[in-house]
Amino acid sequence: MAKNSYKSHSSLVSTHAAVQEAERLEILRNYQILDTPREQAFDDLAKLTAYICDTPIALISFIGADRQSVKAQVGGENLHDLPRNIAFCSYAMLSEDLLEVEDAAQDANFQYNPLVVGKQKIRFYVGVPLLTPEGYPLGSLCAIDTAPRRLNEQQREALRILAREVVAHLELRRARLQLEKERQQMLEMLRPAIDDSTKTVAEEQHTEIFVRQEQKLVRVATADITYVEALGDYVNIYTERERLTVYSTMKELENRLPSRDFARIHRKYIVCLGRIIAIETDTALFETNKATTLSLPIGSSYKAGLLNRLNLI
């Protein structure tokens, strides 16, 4: 490579048919991940990457048509919205396994990269492509250091595992978005031509909900629900006989359950009012079935509202 020159990314893109790149970008758009706010799941995976590789910098980034979009970042400055042609991740994205650059200042492909000769002074880089189930590369999970280094095989394998976890969270995220889209479409189709007051009354009379379990919709009578628990990306609905896990939010479940029968008592819990048997300080004791009771915390911001719902003497 000639001195003070830098290889354009266009030579890499030219090895892929233009139609493949167009399909890749369309799939990336369908994930609706570019330029979105920080999310705990992705932040945690970036932190684990930095910890496992013992590097000051780690990124989860996605490569758009002409730039790099960072979803999660540990350390480093001025690494967001990099032009695609200088982003190391655009190379890692197209690698067959992982791309490891032990010393970028001595690497013919990167020694004149602005991120190497500029104030970032990147020396070590390792990135694993983020591949969709169909095999399309969306970006990379990477670790970066300002000093040369080399990973051992255990660290490399851990990075591959973390990259698969990133994609798994992407799939969960896409599934939630798709379910919300389908729900909205269904509501539009079923929305009756009535005024708001009539609509509120109708919603209060709902006695059942449908939840998606694998490839089917399951009918659940609201009278059978004992409580609802938020757990990360999931919401668990408990009845006397079973637990149903769905991709939803507590707010959505709260809106779908009849408000006369259920109350939010904590950011993580919704309970059936008719099953509460005692309130002690910041704890509610209630029946899950005829033989079992359960104690759940009451959030301070929900306590007054709960007490107002109870028939106190």
Side-chain angles (χ1 to χ4, degrees), residues 49 53 55 57-61 68 87-102 110 122-131 139-145 151 155-164:
T49 298
C53 296
T55 58
I57 304 169
L59 304 176
I60 296 174
S61 67
Q68 169 181 277
F88 278 58
C89 290
S90 64
Y91 289 83
M93 176 184 75
L94 299 177
S95 64
E96 292 185 1
D97 181 19
L98 56 76
L99 173 66
E100 185 172 0
V101 181
E102 296 179 21
F110 297 102
I122 290 177
R123 292 297 178 266
F124 172 77
Y125 175 91
V126 60
V128 187
L130 300 174
L131 301 176
S140 81
L141 169 71
C142 72
I144 299 170
D145 203 341
L151 297 186
Q155 290 172 309
R156 296 187 189 103
E157 182 58 24
L159 277 184
R160 296 182 185 104
I161 293 171
L162 288 177
R164 292 194 291 270

Side-chain angles (χ1 to χ4, degrees), residues 148-262:
R149 62 167 58 242
R150 178 184 176 85
L151 297 186
N152 59 44
E153 190 52 43
Q154 290 79 11
Q155 290 172 309
R156 296 187 189 103
E157 182 58 24
L159 277 184
R160 296 182 185 104
I161 293 171
L162 288 177
R164 292 194 291 270
E165 283 298 306
V166 172
V167 175
H169 279 289
L170 280 176
E171 288 296 311
L172 286 173
R173 191 177 183 280
R174 181 166 67 168
R176 285 201 309 271
L177 291 172
Q178 182 60 34
L179 286 174
E180 178 61 21
K181 180 180 179 181
E182 292 175 1
R183 189 181 74 85
Q184 291 296 335
Q185 290 174 341
M186 184 176 293
L187 286 176
E188 289 296 327
M189 293 174 59
L190 300 178
R191 181 173 289 120
I194 55 177
D195 60 31
D196 291 342
S197 60
T198 304
K199 178 180 177 182
T200 300
V201 171
E203 289 178 343
E204 287 293 317
Q205 294 174 347
H206 286 170
T207 59
E208 60 188 27
I209 58 175
F210 282 86
V211 298
R212 187 183 296 273
Q213 294 292 288
E214 297 180 351
Q215 301 301 316
K216 62 182 178 180
L217 292 173
V218 178
R219 183 198 303 266
V220 180
T222 57
D224 292 339
I225 297 174
T226 58
Y227 72 103
V228 178
E229 174 190 36
L231 187 63
D233 294 324
Y234 310 94
V235 172
N236 290 325
I237 301 174
Y238 291 87
T239 71
E240 290 188 356
R241 297 175 300 279
E242 61 184 338
R243 180 189 70 187
L244 300 166
T245 300
V246 297
Y247 301 125
S248 183
T249 64
M250 290 293 275
K251 183 176 181 180
E252 181 177 356
L253 261 295
E254 189 175 19
N255 290 336
R256 305 302 290 175
L257 294 172
S259 60
R260 65 177 181 273
D261 298 326
F262 292 87

